[in-house]
Amino acid sequence: MKVITVNTSPFDGQKPGTSGLRKPVQTFMQPNYTENFVQSILDVALVGRVSKDVTLVIGGDGRYFSKPAIDSIVAICAGNGVGRILVAHNGIMSTPAVSAVIRARKADGGIILTASHNPGGPNGDFGIKYNCDNGGPAPDQITNQIFARTKELTSYKTLDQVTGLIKIDQIGEQVVQYEGGQLAVEIVDSVNIYLDLLRTIFDFAQLRSFLATKKILIDAMNGVMGPYVKRILVQELGALEQSAIRCIPMEDFGGEHPDPNLTYAADLVNKMKVGDYDFGAAFDGDGDRNMILGRGGFFVTPSDSLAVLSDNLETIPYFKKNGVKGYARSMPTSRAVDLVASQNKVNVYETPTGWKYFGNLMDAGRVSICGEESFGTGSDHIREKDGLWAVLAWLSVLASVKVDSVETLLKQHWSKNGRYFYARYDYENCESEPCTRMMAHIKQTITDPSFVGQTFKSSNGVEYRVNEAFDYAYTNHLTGEIEGGGGHGLVILFNEGATRAIFRLSGTGSSGATVRLYLEQRESKNVNGNVDDYIKPLAEVALNISKLTQFTGRQAPTVIT
Ligand code: G16
């Protein structure tokens, strides 16, 4: 085989979003589209490195088009002289496992093939993202360089044969020989590497005896997590075989939307409601998101999940040993963890939406646990959010604090710390242009000096007085630099800051626009009250300010979490 140079021209719109480049499968299937993006990643990743000394990890959630994409990536790695790649067995490696493998094998980075929670199949989405040598998603500075490269690319290097270069179903070492060089390939079973890491974090004997007395239900939503759930929860920790549902990874996720929330994981919620289960959880397509449920389908918001885990971290051996350095949350995540931080005198850091913003805080030893309202929870054991870690963390906490249910634990937590009632309203698949206009309208309204001090009233008479409003800009906690100058969400704080509404456009969609409205209200007395009583009047006021219905034509959200 020979290295060849293929002439190409740039494609519009290869700008990575919140987490990599996500587009419809059909877009990625266009000739040269995937190749251009991969070459652009390598052009940035290989700068300052000797290619033959570089090791990259290649994995993903196994969705439709993964195998042809892996073929292209292998050939392009060879074409660019990369020395070694670690490829997921059958292309299946969860996003947290990729992070774990990069770190365990001291690789120089990784390419993850996933569109996460977006649907898959020929008419679904595909995605490619680049992770750095710390195991975490590339920061903005790197993704901006990759995007710049996509706009000027005129050729890419590959081999004159692309298919059949590796046997992806055979674990172990292989070599791709070509004229003038070779590419070492190792097909890896990431479940073992990931399991070894979890053993250093949790007390497996404690988890085994806890699970011997409990019934759990874990939904892998036909995504990448099936093999991990079966091996770790069932075989290693003794959960019943029937605890693991939808555990065979499918290229199209069985036609489902693999997003663990109350709408798309309604099946699990219903089973929890009618069944006799103590604990339930679901993961997304690539295994970094999680949803936690208690007996009867009791829903733990991701923000409360972060707060409860933060408050109980030292019950987990890893944190008992290493100490708790700090907590972090994305800006739209509720400030429940801030209440824990002030009680425990631990620092809490706020960052924009996107796990990549936690990376440098963890690298600098500032933060032990991070969480996002978008169903992401994780710690500094890796540099991605980690669905199964979150489940084991919850089971460890439940085993240690000895409460009779998840609900009791939450109620105790709220009465000790106070509660933020919280909800996120999503308006999915809107047209982009009216949403852009709406965001401009909101920005103009809330940054007008006369906005602060105004009082808005809901139809049931609740009053909201604006005391601050801004376009959220991020000041990097480590460098002190202001990154991006806004654009991460439009924030309105009411009633001395106890109440907050945020508008933001999603950065993970593959077409159109999704508007997210994040709503929260602090309450210290009636902590077991009804979420709707707090959230609905606030939503009405926020929606009136935004004129969302006039701009988008939407009368109601498509998803509420
Ligand atoms: C990705 C990022 C998360 C982020 C989420 C937000 O999640 O990894 O850190 O919170 O997107 O999505 P959006 O921009 O749509 O609000 P994932 O699981 O899709 O990789």
Side-chain angles (χ1 to χ4, degrees), residues 145-325:
Q145 287 173 27
I146 294 171
F147 178 47
R149 189 69 191 123
T150 66
K151 293 194 281 190
E152 61 190 22
L153 202 75
T154 54
S155 65
Y156 60 88
K157 286 187 172 162
T158 183
L159 296 180
D160 58 357
Q161 179 192 326
V162 171
T163 52
L165 296 175
I166 60 168
K167 295 193 176 69
I168 203 166
D169 56 349
Q170 290 181 16
I171 290 175
E173 294 285 340
Q174 304 173 18
V175 178
V176 177
Q177 297 276 3
Y178 55 88
E179 255 181 57
Q182 66 173 42
L183 170 65
V185 179
E186 183 187 344
I187 308 292
V188 291
D189 172 5
S190 65
V191 184
N192 281 333
I193 298 171
Y194 179 71
L195 171 59
D196 285 347
L197 176 62
L198 292 185
R199 283 188 211 281
T200 67
I201 298 171
F202 298 103
D203 177 345
F204 270 43
Q206 179 200 38
L207 289 172
R208 247 191 310 271
S209 46
F210 182 68
L211 285 175
T213 64
K214 301 287 171 197
K215 281 180 78 181
I216 65 173
L217 196 61
I218 308 295
D219 186 351
M221 297 191 83
N222 304 318
V224 75
M225 286 309 288
Y228 298 84
V229 170
K230 283 190 172 163
R231 176 71 196 283
I232 297 169
L233 276 168
V234 178
Q235 283 176 30
E236 292 291 326
L237 295 173
L240 298 174
E241 192 86 37
Q242 57 269 32
S243 309
I245 56 173
R246 298 201 282 179
C247 276
I248 297 172
M250 292 184 193
E251 283 195 337
D252 66 349
F253 308 111
E256 308 277 336
H257 195 141
D259 196 359
N261 60 40
L262 294 173
T263 300
Y264 297 122
D267 208 35
L268 174 73
V269 178
N270 292 335
K271 286 195 170 85
M272 290 293 296
K273 278 187 183 154
V274 298
D276 188 22
Y277 302 102
D278 300 292
F279 180 88
F283 306 113
D284 69 339
D286 64 327
D288 53 2
R289 295 185 176 207
N290 73 91
M291 175 173 72
I292 302 293
L293 300 171
R295 181 178 279 278
F298 179 86
F299 172 60
V300 182
T301 69
S303 298
D304 279 338
S305 175
L306 172 66
V308 169
L309 290 181
S310 297
D311 206 15
N312 292 285
L313 269 192
E314 278 161 4
T315 62
I316 298 171
Y318 176 86
F319 300 101
K320 203 182 281 171
K321 184 171 154 220
N322 299 321
V324 175
K325 296 159 187 158

Side-chain angles (χ1 to χ4, degrees), residues 4-12 14 21 25-41 65 68-69 72-73 76 128 149-151 153-159 162:
I4 56 168
T5 300
V6 178
N7 291 331
T8 186
S9 46
F11 289 88
D12 281 341
Q14 289 197 324
L21 181 67
V25 165
Q26 302 299 331
T27 303
F28 273 98
M29 287 175 79
Q30 295 171 82
N32 296 344
Y33 189 91
T34 297
E35 289 80 357
N36 274 20
F37 192 66
V38 173
Q39 180 67 55
S40 301
I41 289 176
F65 191 59
S72 301
I73 293 170
I76 294 173
I128 302 183
R149 189 69 191 123
T150 66
K151 293 194 281 190
L153 202 75
T154 54
S155 65
Y156 60 88
K157 286 187 172 162
T158 183
L159 296 180
V162 171

Side-chain angles (χ1 to χ4, degrees), residues 18-19 22 116-117 284 288-289 353-355 372 374 385 504 506-508 516 518:
T18 310
S19 187
R22 291 186 192 168
S116 188
H117 55 285
D284 69 339
D288 53 2
R289 295 185 176 207
T353 295
W355 205 262
E372 294 188 275
S374 55
K385 54 192 189 273
R504 183 179 159 270
S506 158
T508 57
R516 304 207 194 283
Y518 310 84

Side-chain angles (χ1 to χ4, degrees), residues 214 278 295 398 401-409 412:
K214 301 287 171 197
D278 300 292
R295 181 178 279 278
L398 290 168
V401 299
K402 301 200 168 48
V403 285
D404 62 352
S405 69
V406 170
E407 182 170 351
T408 305
L409 179 57
Q412 285 177 0

